[in-house]
Amino acid sequence: MEKKKEYPIRTGCDRGLCAAAVGRQDRQLNTYDWLADVPGNAESTDLVEVQFKHTRKGYYHNINNLPLKKGDIVAVEASPGHDIGVVTLTGRLVYLQIKKANLKSADDIKRIYRLARQSDMDKFREAKALEHETMIESREIAKGLGLNMKIGDVEYQGDGQKAIFYYIADERVDFRQLIKDLAATFHVRIEMKQIGARQEAGRIGGTGPCGRELCCATWMKNFVSVSTSAARFQDISLNPQKLAGMCAKLKCCLNYEVDDYIEHGRQLPSREVVLQTQDADYFYFKSDILTGLVTYSTDKRIAANLETITGERAKEIIEMNRHGEKPIDLQPEDQRREPEPSSDLLAGDSITRFDKAKKKKKKKRKEDRGEKKEEKGERKEERKDESQKDKPHEQEQPKQ
């Protein structure tokens, strides 16, 4: 008989679910424990953060006072049976993570049974081997029932008694008959969990338009709603093709710098205010929010006589206008520039200098033509005179 291959239990993996432990590495689920070197940090609380497949995490009480550290594989309480996960955080920072998870009841925090044994890992690997086939077959069952949903992933519990089906649906789905069919087919307890397009993109992974790996697939673990107002605050063009990410939703990175833009934008004057000077009225044209510069134009619709000033200078002019005063121009006195001598050699010449020359030429041509006509007329008269001289004079006959 062939011997059953034994898999050694790997512990002490600092990266969470690494390939040598339970599953693949999920960097977006890691939390940097900046209190790890503080004495007494681990003993300050018995709460422990445990990671499972993909983005699923749980928080448990270490009631048996096990010497747990990041990377240990543990068997935790589940309903029913037990589950297998990896310790990702211990100590005081677990309290902050629980607040982010919005755990409303203390009953959600269950217990850690023990460190995973070899028998636990064997059951765990047998259950994980069924996930892909279960997902394909469950999609066929959902299609046969005519449900408008997509089953994106399946996660088996560590002891194989329960399976979580992650699905995506745009509308509400009545999957009561689906749960019955799945339970009858796979003989496990069924749990349906809906996920969004952002969570699915994080599970699949990929490269964003910036050339880097997707944030949701690397370090993001909490998805915050993104609205078009974030693009407006940053003066970004509202082009759906440029604002949408790989998940066809608004990019998460729109929220990264919006707070700084809002804070700096408060220091700039309103866009509706018109600056009045002795020369003309200036209307808002554009602004560079982070540098605090505002550009004004003398025309509302087009860029005409553009002047760029700081937000502080614009507020000074607004205050002067309120008191009925008008500055000479938008620029402050110490920054006014004297007109530089033009380097254009033809700057003093008239634009219509060539037109005048053409008119003169036309006049000259007309005069020349008149002179030629006069010469021709004189020549004709001379010829007539000569011809009359050559002819003999006819004698006048007396009248009878």
Side-chain angles (χ1 to χ4, degrees), residues 31-49:
T31 302
Y32 180 72
D33 190 0
W34 51 274
L35 295 176
D37 298 334
V38 177
N41 175 47
E43 292 79 11
S44 61
T45 178
D46 64 340
L47 290 173
V48 178
E49 183 186 71

Side-chain angles (χ1 to χ4, degrees), residues 97-111:
Q97 295 298 98
I98 290 176
K99 289 182 180 180
K100 289 182 180 180
N102 294 325
L103 296 180
K104 299 179 181 179
S105 175
D107 298 335
D108 296 336
I109 303 177
K110 299 179 180 180
R111 301 172 295 170

